[in-house]
Structure formats: C-alpha cells, structure tokens
C-alpha cells in the first residue's frame, strides 16, 4: 500500500473477471462453484478501490455473449446475482459506494432486475466509489445504444448533426459520467478484451494476469496499480 502513489491512481479501473469455470474444473466441481467463489474477489476489489479513493470501478459480470452458455449455467449465475446483490448492498452502502448497472437491463430476469434497481436506489446518494456492474453488457451494444440516442436527439431537433463529437457522444454511453478507462485488468490468462468497454478503453493500460478470478485478492490489485504507475502514457504524443 505504501508503495502506491495516491496522486497517480487510475481514476477508472475496469476488470474482466475471468477464470471462474477453470478454477472450479481444477477442483472437480461444477462451473457454478467457481462463480460462487468469485464473490470474495469482488468484495476485496471493491473495498480496496473504495479505501484507496479510486473514482470508478467497472466490473464485467455477464456479457451479451454469455447468454449463449448452457441454460443451467445462465440460471445459476442469475440466481447467484439475486442473492449476492441482496447480501452485499448493506456493505456497499456502509462503504459509501454508489452502485450502478450498465448493460441491457431489460434482458435480465425480473427478480434480478428488481434487486439491482433496489441496490441502485439505496446507494444513489453515496459519494464514494462508483461501482458499475456490467450485466448483459457488450461494448458494441453500448455503442449502438448511444448511436440510437444520438440519432433520436438529432431527429427531434434537440441537437444538430454538427454538434456530434467525441465529448457529446460519450454522454450517451452507459458509463457516463465516468471518464475513459485508465487501467483494464483481465484475469484468467487470456489476452483479449471480449467485447468489453470498446470506446472507453481507447487509451487504457492493459494488464493481463494469469491468476484465476476466484484467487484474485487485494494484493493483486495493489500490484496491478503499481505496474500501472510505471507505465509511460503518451496518448500519441512525445515527451519533447
Ligand atoms: C468468468 O468466468 C465469469 C463469466 C463469464 C460469467 P468464466 O465462467 O468465463 O470462466 P472460464 O473462463 O471458463 O474459466
Ligand atoms: C468475458 O469472459 C466476460 C466476463 C468476464 C463476464 P468470457 O469468458 O465470456 O470471454 P471469452 O469467451 O473468453 O472471450
Ligand atoms: Mg471465461
């Protein structure tokens, strides 16, 4: 913790929480056992970000493509979500965390959606970490829904075609008002972004870790932030 410079923290951290299935398989268990064991890692990550003073944390929890998994796994994940959100909201609230949900909420089963909405309502006035839970989310989905909103604003005359620029467009993305992602972590050993925050990660520092998500702890997050702080971010410019 002391080795981290608090004035160079990533403002927005995004995490692809991958490796639950392999974690379970290596123990001879069903994949859902891996998802259940990923909750402690979520808790540690959220608490460490809140404690450090990170502004925004966006967790890839269930992708648009994940609906294509076997029904028993999808149902298991949705049930786990309902239970976990219910259990975790008081703790989030206590830590001054503001919970949000990004993704196609209409695609979720009604109980999961209601639980998310309750959590969002309870924590809406909190002023600490903003926790975006990406559910039924994909980067392409996000861009398309922002394009639709832009088109409808132009059509209604609320905005002119000339006013469309990067700043304006970003206001329609589901992550708004979060700034672009500074650091994107993927656990589980694969080196890809799997349709995550495509627009928002344009200049993110990418960190691919071999640790499987259920084994991810606060120490891994602190190490990742230390690595982030050694990166030379040029944003296309030069230093001289
Ligand atoms: C990530 O773990 C969680 C979700 C996608 C819901 P996986 O379930 O993808 O685990 P692996 O990658 O198969 O090990
Ligand atoms: C990405 O992991 C989605 C989440 C972690 C929620 P996947 O396991 O679904 O991605 P792929 O299939 O390896 O690209
Ligand atoms: Mg995976």
């Amino acid at each position: 913790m002391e080795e981290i410079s608090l004035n160079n923290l990533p403002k927005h951290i995004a995490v692809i929480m991958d490796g639950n299935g392999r974690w379970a398989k290596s123990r001879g268990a069903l994949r859902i056992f891996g998802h259940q064991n990923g909750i402690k890692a979520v808790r540690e990550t959220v608490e460490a970000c809140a404690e450090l003073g990170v502004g925004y944390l966006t967790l890839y929890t269930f992708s648009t493509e994940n609906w294509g998994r076997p029904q028993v796994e999808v149902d298991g994940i949705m049930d786990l979500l309902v239970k976990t959100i219910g259990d975790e909201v008081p703790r989030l609230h206590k830590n001054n965390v503001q919970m949000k949900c990004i993704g196609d909420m209409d695609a979720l089963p009604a109980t999961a959606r209601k639980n998310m909405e309750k959590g969002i309502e309870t924590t809406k006035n909190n002023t600490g970490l903003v926790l975006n839970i990406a559910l039924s989310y994909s980067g392409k989905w996000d861009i398309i829904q922002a394009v639709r909103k832009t088109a409808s604003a132009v059509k209604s005359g609320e905005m002119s075609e000339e006013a469309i620029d990067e700043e304006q467009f970003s206001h329609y993305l589901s992550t708004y008002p979060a700034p672009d992602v500074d650091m994107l972590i993927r656990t589980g050993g694969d080196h890809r972004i799997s349709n995550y925050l495509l627009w928002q990660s344009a200049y993110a520092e990418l960190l691919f870790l071999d640790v499987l998500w259920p084994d991810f702890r606060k120490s891994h997050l602190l190490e990742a932030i230390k690595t982030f702080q050694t990166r030379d971010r040029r944003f296309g410019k030069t230093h001289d």
Side-chain angles (χ1 to χ4, degrees):
M1 194 95 160
E2 304 83 59
E3 292 166 49
I4 285 176
S5 142
L6 291 178
N7 46 31
N8 182 26
L9 283 177
K11 290 188 182 68
H12 185 175
I13 299 178
V15 187
I16 302 175
M17 310 184 289
D18 196 31
N20 296 351
R22 280 163 282 166
W23 188 91
K25 198 172 167 201
S26 73
R27 286 163 175 77
L30 296 173
R31 296 178 59 83
I32 195 67
F33 185 63
H35 300 312
Q36 288 160 349
N37 279 278
I39 293 166
K40 188 172 163 57
V42 172
R43 203 180 284 145
E44 288 215 4
T45 306
V46 172
E47 291 191 354
C49 287
E51 205 183 312
L52 280 167
V54 169
Y56 300 85
L57 172 68
T58 303
L59 299 177
Y60 210 3
T61 308
F62 192 82
S63 74
T64 308
E65 288 77 18
N66 289 151
W67 290 113
R69 292 191 177 191
Q71 199 57 43
V72 53
E73 182 173 353
V74 171
D75 291 347
I77 292 173
M78 292 300 145
D79 287 349
L80 187 62
L81 199 69
V82 171
K83 192 184 163 302
T84 309
I85 297 293
D87 291 351
E88 297 296 316
V89 165
R91 192 194 286 258
L92 294 176
H93 197 37
K94 197 181 102 221
N95 287 324
N96 198 22
V97 174
Q98 185 187 149
M99 178 185 124
K100 290 185 168 184
C101 187
I102 62 170
D104 182 8
M105 293 280 273
D106 294 339
L108 297 178
T111 42
R113 194 172 54 239
K114 280 197 194 109
N115 253 21
M116 295 302 298
E117 283 164 357
K118 245 173 38 199
I120 293 167
E121 180 61 29
T122 306
T123 63
K124 71 174 181 203
N125 293 321
N126 290 343
T127 53
L129 174 74
V130 175
L131 169 65
N132 290 319
I133 301 178
L135 268 179
S136 191
Y137 179 88
S138 79
K140 290 186 180 180
W141 168 86
D142 201 359
I143 292 168
I144 293 290
Q145 67 80 31
V147 167
R148 287 209 182 107
K149 285 183 182 147
T150 307
S152 117
V154 171
K155 197 170 156 200
S156 70
E158 189 189 317
M159 188 167 96
S160 72
E161 206 178 308
E162 293 70 36
I164 304 173
D165 59 11
E166 289 182 16
E167 171 63 21
Q168 191 55 45
F169 187 74
S170 75
H171 289 209
Y172 291 122
L173 290 169
S174 64
T175 43
Y176 184 77
D180 275 355
V181 174
D182 297 301
M183 174 168 87
L184 173 61
I185 300 174
R186 182 182 185 126
T187 62
D190 285 310
H191 296 190
R192 57 175 170 264
I193 55 176
S194 300
N195 205 358
Y196 200 24
L197 300 153
L198 298 178
W199 174 287
Q200 297 90 331
S201 297
Y203 263 109
E205 292 299 325
L206 307 178
L207 277 95
F208 297 106
L209 310 182
D210 287 333
V211 60
L212 301 174
W213 180 251
D215 293 327
F216 190 84
R217 290 293 171 268
K218 184 177 173 179
S219 59
H220 294 100
L221 181 79
L222 297 178
E223 268 313 312
I225 296 177
K226 257 169 66 183
T227 303
F228 168 84
Q229 295 187 330
T230 65
R231 299 272 179 100
D232 181 20
R233 304 185 80 195
R234 291 184 294 279
F235 297 98
K237 302 179 180 70
T238 57
H239 287 310
D240 34 50

